[in-house]
Amino acid sequence: MTKLPADRFSLQIRASMDALLQCHRVCLSMAMTHCFEIGGEHARPQHLRLMLDCAEFCLLTADMLARKSQFHNRICALSAEICDVCAADCAKLGHMDECVAICRTTAALCREAARLEHAEVLSMASSLPPGK
């Protein structure tokens, strides 16, 4: 019997992790450059805090999925909520299409991952053929 590598994930969890990491990069980058450069409502403290919260929580969620945390359901659900709020705020301000798109995508994938039972997360990874 071949021992499975610890980093094996289902395609669904891998897609969630990829989106979370991309969302982290986009939100952090846009908050620190785009929003400061545009100024006005884009540089409003509450908006910047929201974007930084979204970026940081996405990173945390990806990390917890990577270690197959037993708390993935609640973490993913909260991450989806934060991404939804961030997307709405960015859409309202305008000129933030990249952030809106990745936040919406990430929220949808996190909602799907949140519906998985922990045993499913573990077994889905274990049932993948070698090399996936």
Side-chain angles (χ1 to χ4, degrees), residues 1 10 13 22 35 51 72 76 81 113 120 124 128:
M1 181 173 186
S10 71
I13 294 298
Q22 184 180 359
C35 290
M51 290 190 72
H72 88 275
C76 286
E81 181 181 345
E120 287 179 286
M124 286 168 68
L128 289 176

Side-chain angles (χ1 to χ4, degrees), residues 62-93:
D63 186 52
M64 293 189 78
L65 284 173
R67 61 179 178 257
K68 298 176 180 86
S69 171
Q70 64 185 338
F71 303 106
H72 88 275
N73 306 84
R74 289 180 279 173
I75 295 297
C76 286
L78 182 55
S79 190
E81 181 181 345
I82 293 168
C83 287
D84 282 337
V85 173
C86 189
D89 202 51
C90 290
K92 181 179 74 175
L93 292 176

Side-chain angles (χ1 to χ4, degrees), residues 25-82:
R25 286 189 302 272
V26 169
C27 286
L28 183 61
S29 175
M30 287 194 83
M32 295 291 100
T33 57
H34 176 78
C35 290
F36 278 129
E37 290 168 5
I38 288 183
E41 285 297 302
H42 284 82
R44 186 178 86 247
Q46 184 56 37
H47 176 69
L48 291 172
R49 279 192 292 270
L50 174 59
M51 290 190 72
L52 294 175
D53 285 351
C54 187
E56 191 63 29
F57 210 81
C58 283
L59 188 61
L60 170 72
T61 304
D63 186 52
M64 293 189 78
L65 284 173
R67 61 179 178 257
K68 298 176 180 86
S69 171
Q70 64 185 338
F71 303 106
H72 88 275
N73 306 84
R74 289 180 279 173
I75 295 297
C76 286
L78 182 55
S79 190
E81 181 181 345
I82 293 168

Side-chain angles (χ1 to χ4, degrees), residues 17 24 31 56 96-97 99 107 111 113 115 122:
M17 289 170 59
H24 169 261
E56 191 63 29
M96 300 190 71
D97 296 340
C99 187
R111 273 190 292 280
R115 288 192 269 277
L122 295 175

